[in-house]
Short mmCIF file of all heavy atoms in Angstrom, two decimals:
data_model
loop_
_atom_site.label_atom_id
_atom_site.label_comp_id
_atom_site.label_asym_id
_atom_site.label_seq_id
_atom_site.Cartn_x
_atom_site.Cartn_y
_atom_site.Cartn_z
N ILE A 225 73.17 92.35 102.79
CA ILE A 225 74.04 91.42 102.06
C ILE A 225 74.83 92.24 101.05
O ILE A 225 74.24 92.88 100.16
CB ILE A 225 73.21 90.35 101.33
CG1 ILE A 225 72.40 89.53 102.33
CG2 ILE A 225 74.11 89.45 100.49
CD1 ILE A 225 71.30 88.70 101.70
N GLY A 226 76.15 92.22 101.19
CA GLY A 226 77.02 92.94 100.27
C GLY A 226 77.54 92.02 99.19
O GLY A 226 78.43 91.20 99.45
N LEU A 227 76.99 92.13 97.98
CA LEU A 227 77.51 91.31 96.89
C LEU A 227 78.96 91.69 96.61
O LEU A 227 79.32 92.87 96.63
CB LEU A 227 76.66 91.52 95.63
CG LEU A 227 75.24 90.97 95.68
CD1 LEU A 227 74.57 91.13 94.32
CD2 LEU A 227 75.21 89.51 96.10
N THR A 228 79.77 90.67 96.37
CA THR A 228 81.20 90.89 96.24
C THR A 228 81.69 90.61 94.83
O THR A 228 81.03 89.90 94.06
CB THR A 228 81.96 90.03 97.27
OG1 THR A 228 83.33 90.40 97.28
CG2 THR A 228 81.83 88.55 96.98
N PHE A 229 82.86 91.16 94.50
CA PHE A 229 83.39 91.08 93.15
C PHE A 229 84.51 90.05 93.02
O PHE A 229 85.30 90.09 92.07
CB PHE A 229 83.88 92.45 92.70
CG PHE A 229 82.89 93.57 92.97
CD1 PHE A 229 83.34 94.84 93.29
CD2 PHE A 229 81.53 93.34 92.92
CE1 PHE A 229 82.44 95.87 93.54
CE2 PHE A 229 80.62 94.36 93.18
CZ PHE A 229 81.08 95.63 93.49
N VAL A 230 84.60 89.14 93.96
CA VAL A 230 85.59 88.05 93.88
C VAL A 230 85.16 87.13 92.74
O VAL A 230 84.09 86.53 92.81
CB VAL A 230 85.66 87.27 95.21
CG1 VAL A 230 86.70 86.16 95.12
CG2 VAL A 230 85.95 88.21 96.37
N PRO A 231 85.96 86.99 91.68
CA PRO A 231 85.49 86.28 90.48
C PRO A 231 84.95 84.89 90.75
O PRO A 231 83.93 84.49 90.19
CB PRO A 231 86.74 86.24 89.59
CG PRO A 231 87.53 87.45 90.00
CD PRO A 231 87.31 87.57 91.48
N TRP A 232 85.63 84.13 91.63
CA TRP A 232 85.20 82.74 91.85
C TRP A 232 83.99 82.65 92.79
O TRP A 232 83.45 81.58 92.98
CB TRP A 232 86.36 81.89 92.35
CG TRP A 232 87.15 82.46 93.49
CD1 TRP A 232 86.99 82.20 94.81
CD2 TRP A 232 88.23 83.40 93.40
NE1 TRP A 232 87.91 82.91 95.56
CE2 TRP A 232 88.68 83.65 94.72
CE3 TRP A 232 88.87 84.05 92.33
CZ2 TRP A 232 89.74 84.53 95.00
CZ3 TRP A 232 89.92 84.91 92.62
CH2 TRP A 232 90.34 85.14 93.93
N PHE A 233 83.57 83.77 93.35
CA PHE A 233 82.28 83.80 94.07
C PHE A 233 81.16 84.25 93.15
O PHE A 233 79.98 84.16 93.50
CB PHE A 233 82.32 84.78 95.25
CG PHE A 233 83.32 84.45 96.33
CD1 PHE A 233 83.56 85.36 97.35
CD2 PHE A 233 84.03 83.26 96.34
CE1 PHE A 233 84.48 85.09 98.35
CE2 PHE A 233 84.95 82.98 97.33
CZ PHE A 233 85.18 83.90 98.35
N VAL A 234 81.54 84.79 91.99
CA VAL A 234 80.56 85.32 91.03
C VAL A 234 80.13 84.27 90.02
O VAL A 234 78.95 84.12 89.72
CB VAL A 234 81.16 86.56 90.31
CG1 VAL A 234 80.21 87.05 89.20
CG2 VAL A 234 81.44 87.68 91.30
N LYS A 235 81.12 83.52 89.52
CA LYS A 235 80.84 82.57 88.44
C LYS A 235 81.85 81.45 88.47
O LYS A 235 83.04 81.68 88.70
CB LYS A 235 80.89 83.30 87.09
CG LYS A 235 80.63 82.45 85.87
CD LYS A 235 80.83 83.29 84.61
CE LYS A 235 80.67 82.47 83.35
NZ LYS A 235 80.95 83.27 82.14
N GLU A 236 81.39 80.22 88.24
CA GLU A 236 82.31 79.10 88.13
C GLU A 236 83.12 79.23 86.83
O GLU A 236 82.60 79.66 85.81
CB GLU A 236 81.54 77.79 88.12
CG GLU A 236 80.88 77.45 89.45
CD GLU A 236 80.21 76.10 89.41
OE1 GLU A 236 79.07 76.03 88.91
OE2 GLU A 236 80.82 75.12 89.88
N GLY A 237 84.40 78.89 86.89
CA GLY A 237 85.24 79.02 85.71
C GLY A 237 86.35 80.02 85.94
O GLY A 237 86.50 80.59 87.02
N LYS A 238 87.14 80.27 84.91
CA LYS A 238 88.34 81.08 85.06
C LYS A 238 88.07 82.58 85.04
O LYS A 238 88.75 83.35 85.71
CB LYS A 238 89.35 80.72 83.96
CG LYS A 238 89.94 79.33 84.11
CD LYS A 238 91.01 79.07 83.07
CE LYS A 238 91.64 77.70 83.26
NZ LYS A 238 92.70 77.43 82.27
N LYS A 239 87.10 83.03 84.25
CA LYS A 239 86.88 84.46 84.11
C LYS A 239 85.43 84.82 84.40
O LYS A 239 84.52 84.03 84.16
CB LYS A 239 87.24 84.92 82.69
CG LYS A 239 88.73 84.89 82.39
CD LYS A 239 89.01 85.50 81.02
CE LYS A 239 90.51 85.52 80.74
NZ LYS A 239 90.81 86.12 79.40
N ALA A 240 85.25 86.03 84.91
CA ALA A 240 83.90 86.55 85.15
C ALA A 240 83.94 88.06 84.93
O ALA A 240 84.96 88.71 85.14
CB ALA A 240 83.44 86.23 86.57
N SER A 241 82.81 88.61 84.51
CA SER A 241 82.68 90.05 84.33
C SER A 241 81.62 90.58 85.29
O SER A 241 80.91 89.81 85.95
CB SER A 241 82.29 90.38 82.89
OG SER A 241 80.92 90.06 82.66
N SER A 242 81.49 91.89 85.34
CA SER A 242 80.50 92.48 86.24
C SER A 242 79.08 92.05 85.89
O SER A 242 78.24 91.92 86.78
CB SER A 242 80.61 94.01 86.21
OG SER A 242 80.35 94.51 84.91
N ARG A 243 78.82 91.78 84.62
CA ARG A 243 77.46 91.35 84.23
C ARG A 243 77.10 89.99 84.84
O ARG A 243 75.92 89.66 84.98
CB ARG A 243 77.34 91.30 82.71
CG ARG A 243 77.11 92.69 82.11
CD ARG A 243 77.01 92.64 80.59
NE ARG A 243 76.58 93.93 80.06
CZ ARG A 243 77.37 94.98 79.91
NH1 ARG A 243 78.64 94.90 80.28
NH2 ARG A 243 76.90 96.11 79.41
N ASP A 244 78.12 89.22 85.20
CA ASP A 244 77.86 87.93 85.85
C ASP A 244 77.35 88.11 87.28
O ASP A 244 76.92 87.13 87.92
CB ASP A 244 79.11 87.07 85.84
CG ASP A 244 79.50 86.62 84.44
OD1 ASP A 244 78.60 86.16 83.71
OD2 ASP A 244 80.68 86.76 84.07
N LEU A 245 77.39 89.34 87.79
CA LEU A 245 76.80 89.63 89.10
C LEU A 245 75.28 89.77 89.02
O LEU A 245 74.59 89.64 90.04
CB LEU A 245 77.38 90.92 89.68
CG LEU A 245 78.69 90.81 90.46
CD1 LEU A 245 79.29 92.19 90.66
CD2 LEU A 245 78.46 90.14 91.81
N LEU A 246 74.77 90.05 87.83
CA LEU A 246 73.33 90.33 87.70
C LEU A 246 72.45 89.15 88.15
O LEU A 246 71.44 89.37 88.82
CB LEU A 246 73.00 90.74 86.26
CG LEU A 246 73.75 91.97 85.73
CD1 LEU A 246 73.31 92.29 84.30
CD2 LEU A 246 73.56 93.17 86.64
N PRO A 247 72.79 87.90 87.84
CA PRO A 247 71.97 86.79 88.35
C PRO A 247 71.95 86.72 89.88
O PRO A 247 70.95 86.27 90.46
CB PRO A 247 72.63 85.55 87.74
CG PRO A 247 73.32 86.05 86.52
CD PRO A 247 73.81 87.41 86.87
N HIS A 248 73.03 87.15 90.53
CA HIS A 248 73.04 87.18 92.00
C HIS A 248 72.05 88.24 92.51
O HIS A 248 71.32 88.00 93.49
CB HIS A 248 74.45 87.50 92.51
CG HIS A 248 75.45 86.42 92.22
ND1 HIS A 248 75.67 85.35 93.08
CD2 HIS A 248 76.28 86.22 91.17
CE1 HIS A 248 76.60 84.56 92.56
NE2 HIS A 248 76.99 85.07 91.41
#
Side-chain angles (χ1 to χ4, degrees):
I225 299 165
L227 291 185
T228 189
F229 312 147
V230 181
W232 49 96
F233 298 172
V234 174
K235 180 185 176 183
E236 291 184 278
K238 291 185 178 180
K239 290 186 178 180
S241 74
S242 61
R243 280 179 171 78
D244 293 313
L245 275 166
L246 302 181
H248 293 272

